[in-house]
């Protein structure tokens, strides 16, 4: 069963209408096989970025084939921490932003940032450690609505910020 969609190179601006955003279904290998109806937006984990995609006609392309399976297992690890990733954005500079729900507007959602070429298991372990260590544990629980990001791009260092 498909649970993933690719919705373009960039995150849509908040003033865009949902039905203006074209998404495509991805299989578990990141293969784009069909256009998704616009109502599927919140049911599926969304992926953004231009990695390996024919932007004019994405059907038949693979999204980020080198790392897609690793991203899916990273997503599952994160869900085991009781976080619910809503979307992933693969940036051209090699960073990945994973968005967590807290608002309807994607560009205002809290982010977990890590490197595309990272060891995703290590990133998940660092995230788990950070989330179960004070003061972040308490802040994350009590101030989640003002949570901005956790940056895991640096080995054994975790940066985070609240509004």
């Amino acid at each position: 069963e498909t649970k993933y969609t690719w919705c373009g190179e960039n995150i849509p601006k908040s003033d865009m209408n949902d039905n203006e955003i074209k998404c495509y279904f991805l299989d578990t290998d990141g293969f784009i096989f069909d256009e998704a109806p616009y109502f599927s937006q919140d049911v599926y984990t969304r992926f953004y970025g231009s990695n390996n995609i024919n932007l004019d006609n994405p059907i038949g392309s693979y999204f980020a084939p080198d790392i897609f399976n690793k991203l899916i297992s990273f997503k599952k690890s994160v869900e085991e921490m009781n976080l619910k990733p809503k979307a992933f954005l693969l940036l051209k500079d090699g960073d990945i932003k994973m968005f967590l729900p807290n608002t309807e507007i994607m560009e205002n959602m809290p982010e977990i940032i890590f490197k595309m070429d990272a060891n995703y298991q290590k990133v998940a372990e660092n995230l788990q450690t950070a989330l179960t260590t004070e003061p972040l544990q308490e802040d994350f629980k009590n101030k989640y609505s003002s949570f901005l990001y956790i940056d895991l791009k640096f080995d054994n260092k975790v940066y985070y910020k609240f509004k």
Side-chain angles (χ1 to χ4, degrees), residues 7 10-16 21 41 46 48 106-107:
C7 298
N10 298 303
I11 290 172
K13 294 290 172 230
S14 54
D15 59 358
M16 274 182 87
I21 303 161
Q41 284 259 317
R46 288 180 267 170
Y48 297 91
M106 280 258 320
E107 55 206 36

Side-chain angles (χ1 to χ4, degrees), residues 64-97:
D66 304 341
I67 62 162
F68 193 75
N69 288 321
K70 291 195 288 189
L71 275 176
I72 297 309
S73 51
F74 179 73
K75 175 187 179 291
K76 288 177 183 154
S77 300
V78 169
E79 287 170 339
E80 288 167 11
M81 298 174 211
N82 290 320
L83 298 175
K84 296 179 174 32
K86 189 171 173 103
F88 289 85
L89 170 62
L90 279 60
L91 297 164
K92 287 185 169 79
D93 67 2
D95 286 358
I96 297 177
K97 291 183 174 187

